[in-house]
Amino acid sequence: MSGPLTSSNDVLTKLRAVLEPHGVFLRGVVNFADGDRAPVLKEGAAAASVVLLGNIGSSIWPAFERWRDAPANKDARNPLDTWSKAVIEPVAQDFGATAYFPSDPPWQPFQQWAMRAEGLRPSPLGILIHPQYGLWHGYRGALGFGRALVAAPPARHVHPCDHCSGKPCLSACPAAAVLATGFQISPCRAHLGAAEGKAGCMVSGCLARNACPVGVQYRYRPEQLQFHMAALSV
């Protein structure tokens, strides 16, 4: 990266350009006020802002597959987390930022940051639902900065679940693990380990997630769905 970054627009514009080839999007900015629980920068001070980074639909999958197919990466443990770090950590260094990842302690409140940055709320599956992307998006990391970054305020979304009359996610789960009151982990895991689950959700992806009518055009590719389901069975 060449030249000083003199404004928030410089930072965000150049971040977008650097991350675009990897299919990683800027998902929003959180600025911290006095009294907020702000993450700690590598220098030891509290961050003034974080920029959330993540995927929209299968945006990261082509770049991730190319990386995973390289001989040096074929045996990588936790390959998607490892790839995320391989992409994001050099960017953090170039921009003088601190990188945070959902997979690493100290566990950062990524969902809370996302709700602040994008105005989202959880679905009955526990996944934050986006009014456009539905359940087909994610957060691969975040960058912390020592100064506040000016960004557009989060949009005021109508929560899609509040206006979903059929709520097919509640009836599509064969394990009855998706309830209006929240997601039940134990019956889900038991189902995935049974023959029906191995032939169903483990092959085609979570049936309840697939049943959501929001953002179907962003649904993950079959190989990406199987990758994520295989990670759940570990």
Side-chain angles (χ1 to χ4, degrees):
M1 185 182 64
S2 61
L5 298 175
T6 58
S7 70
S8 297
N9 284 340
D10 284 340
V11 173
L12 301 179
T13 298
K14 291 189 177 183
L15 275 176
R16 288 188 186 96
V18 169
L19 293 167
E20 182 180 10
H22 307 285
V24 177
F25 285 80
L26 272 60
R27 297 296 308 275
V29 176
V30 178
N31 286 312
F32 300 101
D34 291 341
D36 282 348
R37 180 192 164 194
V40 177
L41 298 170
K42 59 189 175 184
E43 298 85 4
S49 62
V50 293
V51 180
L52 287 170
L53 309 176
N55 61 289
I56 294 171
S58 292
S59 62
I60 62 173
W61 199 250
F64 170 64
E65 280 198 315
R66 289 193 298 272
W67 176 89
R68 188 173 56 167
D69 287 343
N73 302 323
K74 281 192 173 293
D75 296 323
R77 188 178 180 184
N78 302 317
L80 188 55
D81 291 336
T82 303
W83 173 83
S84 300
K85 292 174 184 178
V87 170
I88 294 172
E89 285 178 338
V91 175
Q93 183 174 358
D94 285 348
F95 280 76
T98 299
Y100 311 106
F101 299 96
S103 59
D104 284 1
W107 316 114
Q108 303 294 348
F110 271 81
Q111 281 212 328
Q112 293 178 30
W113 290 349
M115 287 188 279
R116 287 181 60 175
E118 296 191 283
L120 306 185
R121 286 166 54 191
S123 68
L125 284 81
I127 304 169
L128 295 180
I129 185 166
H130 191 282
Q132 181 177 355
Y133 316 133
L135 303 174
W136 307 108
H137 64 104
Y139 302 93
R140 300 309 316 161
L143 297 177
F145 291 87
R147 62 187 175 105
L149 298 176
V150 178
R156 291 184 174 273
H157 300 303
V158 174
H159 186 44
C161 300
D162 289 345
H163 298 274
C164 182
S165 57
K167 292 185 169 47
C169 66
L170 300 183
S171 57
C173 177
V178 184
L179 308 177
T181 54
F183 181 72
Q184 310 299 306
I185 296 176
S186 295
C188 173
R189 293 191 70 88
H191 174 74
L192 294 180
E196 183 185 2
K198 290 178 181 178
C201 292
M202 292 300 294
V203 174
S204 60
C206 170
L207 297 182
R209 189 176 189 179
N210 287 339
C212 178
V214 183
V216 293
Q217 66 270 37
Y218 294 96
R219 184 173 292 162
Y220 292 164
R221 300 179 183 186
E223 61 270 26
Q224 186 174 0
L225 288 170
Q226 292 173 17
F227 173 87
H228 288 297
M229 294 307 298
L232 287 178
S233 68
V234 173

